[in-house]
C-alpha cells in the first residue's frame, strides 16, 4: 500500500499499537490502582501511609492444570479489582510506558466489590 511505501515502519507501528500481553497458565496481569492522597475530610496523607494494595485485572491466563490434567480456570476475570499481597508478583514494563504486574491466581488475596 501507499502507507507502507511512504512510511516503511508504519505497518510495524500499527502492529505494535494492537499488541497485547496475555498471561500464561494461572497468571493474572494487573495494573495497580493509586491510593487516594487525600481523605474525604480533606486531610493529606503522607506517601508512607498510602500503600498500593489493590489493582485492576487487565488480562488472565487460561488456567492451570490439576493432578489429573483437568483445566482449573482462573478465579478472577478482566475488570475485577483485586487485593494484592504486600510482596510478590513480577513487574512488567511495556513499550507504551505502562507499569504492570503479573501474579499467580493463588497469590491474589481477594476480589474487592462495591457491595
Amino acid at each position: 500500500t501507499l502507507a507502507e511505501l511512504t512510511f516503511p515502519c508504519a505497518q510495524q507501528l500499527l502492529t505494535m499499537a494492537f499488541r497485547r500481553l496475555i498471561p500464561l497458565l494461572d497468571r493474572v496481569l494487573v495494573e495497580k490502582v493509586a491510593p487516594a492522597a487525600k481523605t474525604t475530610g480533606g486531610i493529606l496523607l503522607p506517601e508512607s501511609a498510602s500503600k498500593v494494595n489493590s489493582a485492576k485485572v487487565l488480562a488472565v491466563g487460561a488456567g492451570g492444570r490439576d493432578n489429573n490434567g483437568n483445566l482449573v480456570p482462573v478465579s478472577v476475570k478482566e475488570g475485577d479489582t483485586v487485593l494484592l499481597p504486600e510482596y510478590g508478583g513480577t513487574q512488567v514494563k511495556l513499550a507504551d510506558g505502562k507499569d504492570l504486574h503479573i501474579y499467580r491466581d493463588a497469590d491474589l488475596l481477594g476480589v474487592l466489590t462495591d457491595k
Side-chain angles (χ1 to χ4, degrees):
T1 65
L2 182 60
E4 290 175 355
L5 295 174
T6 309
F7 303 102
C9 63
Q11 184 65 31
Q12 183 182 9
L13 290 174
L14 186 61
T15 303
M16 288 177 62
F18 292 104
R19 188 174 294 174
R20 184 173 172 202
L21 176 62
I22 300 173
L24 299 176
L25 300 173
D26 65 339
R27 289 175 176 80
V28 179
L29 180 68
V30 299
E31 182 174 22
K32 291 189 175 182
V33 177
K38 190 188 292 188
T39 65
T40 54
I43 300 172
L44 294 174
L45 298 172
E47 265 189 51
S48 60
S50 58
K51 286 186 186 178
V52 177
N53 64 347
S54 63
K56 182 177 179 183
V57 176
L58 301 178
V60 297
R65 300 279 177 179
D66 64 8
N67 292 337
N68 297 327
N70 299 322
L71 183 67
V72 178
V74 179
S75 60
V76 296
K77 61 186 182 304
E78 290 183 25
D80 283 348
T81 302
V82 294
L83 184 64
L84 301 174
E86 188 173 351
Y87 301 104
T90 302
Q91 185 177 8
V92 178
K93 289 201 180 227
L94 298 181
D96 60 359
K98 285 190 177 180
D99 188 20
L100 307 176
H101 292 79
I102 295 179
Y103 286 88
R104 288 188 178 270
D105 184 39
D107 292 341
L108 300 176
L109 302 176
V111 179
L112 300 171
T113 61
D114 292 333
K115 296 179 184 179

